[in-house]
Amino acid sequence: MVVLSSLILYALVSGACISHGFSLGRNPACKRSPAVKASSSSQEEETLPQNAISADAIYFDIQVAGQDAGRLIFDLANPSPLPLHTENVIQLCKGSRRSIDPAAHYVGCEFDFSPASVEDGMGRYRWGHQLRGRGRNAVGKVDEPIVDVENQLSCTHKCFGGQYYGVEYDEGANEEDPGVLLTVPVKGPGYGTSKISIVRVGESPQEWGDRLLMNSGVIGRLRSDSLRVLHSMARQRMGPPTVVASGVLGN
């Protein structure tokens, strides 16, 4: 009876790991409980989802060689399995610290542009696009890497050769989902900074798959109607895709 009760309790806690925009994947390892906040109008307590973030979606307007390429929109997991990293990206998109730190935003930043980031048909393409930002954070101290070990460990997923964190990639979750993920580095070079990557797991060769996510934290997914914009970025040779505007949607 004790074992059964424990299993039921575990299922309830694990079930709290949900997303407003998409599934967190099969058997999510995230284990969170609700946070309790006192109501300002009375002594009653208000139950809020722990790890809630301030936006459900973000966008980047892109130009290439001075020409509009379109808008990339990403749905975010909310509550987030990696709330500090996700909120940092949200606030950098909004430029909320720009008045006190002119470098704490993405506008004017360029995606990496090299033979490794252009589809050339020669097998050298890495199926990812990196936007490094300016190395300044909008959560915590601007020049210190964000570290969120507790949430990172509670949402760890195995892949061939290692592991990744945050939202679990589920290839069969939605037939219309292109399988393009928004990630942040949580280990290795650039961890805990303004750097983000767009990783095309669903379009990559089968032998790569979620290996492309190793040492990264998955925080969101590209909307299917933005895939055309991403493809145009990947297939052009005119110059680096540049962010000309960014922000949040639905808030």
Side-chain angles (χ1 to χ4, degrees):
M1 192 68 178
V2 174
V3 174
L4 179 60
S5 298
S6 299
L7 289 173
I8 294 173
L9 177 60
Y10 176 80
L12 290 173
V13 174
S14 298
C17 197
I18 60 174
S19 163
H20 292 173
F22 48 87
S23 169
L24 279 176
R26 299 181 296 270
N27 304 315
C30 315
K31 304 164 189 174
R32 298 191 291 272
S33 57
V36 176
K37 177 181 178 181
S39 171
S40 58
S41 59
S42 68
Q43 296 300 317
E44 296 180 0
E45 290 185 332
E46 176 186 2
T47 300
L48 300 174
Q50 190 172 342
N51 293 1
I53 53 177
S54 63
D56 292 326
I58 57 174
Y59 70 86
F60 300 91
D61 289 337
I62 307 298
Q63 282 189 353
V64 175
Q67 300 179 10
D68 291 338
R71 171 171 287 188
L72 300 173
I73 300 177
F74 296 90
D75 290 312
L76 305 174
N78 192 7
S80 173
L82 297 170
L84 295 181
H85 293 85
T86 307
E87 192 63 40
N88 186 49
V89 174
I90 291 171
Q91 296 306 321
L92 288 171
C93 284
K94 294 172 62 176
S96 59
R97 273 191 180 175
R98 196 169 179 175
S99 61
I100 58 176
D101 186 351
H105 63 97
Y106 286 120
V107 175
C109 293
E110 298 177 345
F111 283 85
D112 287 358
F113 185 72
S114 70
S117 57
V118 175
E119 292 185 30
D120 61 0
M122 301 297 291
R124 292 191 292 266
Y125 182 53
R126 297 180 182 173
W127 304 98
H129 308 269
Q130 295 184 347
L131 181 68
R132 300 178 187 275
R134 296 180 174 84
R136 308 289 281 181
N137 287 329
V139 168
K141 295 184 177 181
V142 295
D143 55 355
E144 289 188 3
I146 293 172
V147 178
D148 191 5
V149 176
E150 182 179 355
N151 282 299
Q152 185 176 317
L153 292 178
S154 69
C155 280
T156 301
H157 313 290
K158 293 181 179 179
C159 61
F160 185 83
Q163 55 194 14
Y164 67 97
Y165 309 90
V167 178
E168 183 181 15
Y169 174 63
D170 188 348
E171 184 177 3
N174 185 341
E175 291 183 0
E176 297 181 358
D177 180 10
V180 179
L181 307 181
L182 180 66
T183 73
V184 294
V186 296
K187 287 186 175 182
Y191 84 92
T193 66
S194 58
K195 180 180 176 181
I196 58 174
S197 296
I198 304 171
V199 186
R200 292 161 62 183
V201 178
E203 297 181 328
S204 69
Q206 186 175 4
E207 61 270 21
W208 292 0
D210 59 7
R211 292 177 62 186
L212 296 169
L213 304 173
M214 190 162 54
N215 293 333
S216 296
V218 180
I219 62 173
R221 287 180 184 256
L222 182 75
R223 288 188 183 176
S224 58
D225 55 5
S226 295
L227 187 59
R228 176 192 59 81
V229 178
L230 187 62
H231 283 167
S232 69
M233 287 171 51
R235 295 166 183 170
Q236 58 82 29
R237 298 174 181 272
M238 295 185 293
T242 302
V243 177
V244 294
S246 63
V248 302
L249 298 174
N251 296 83

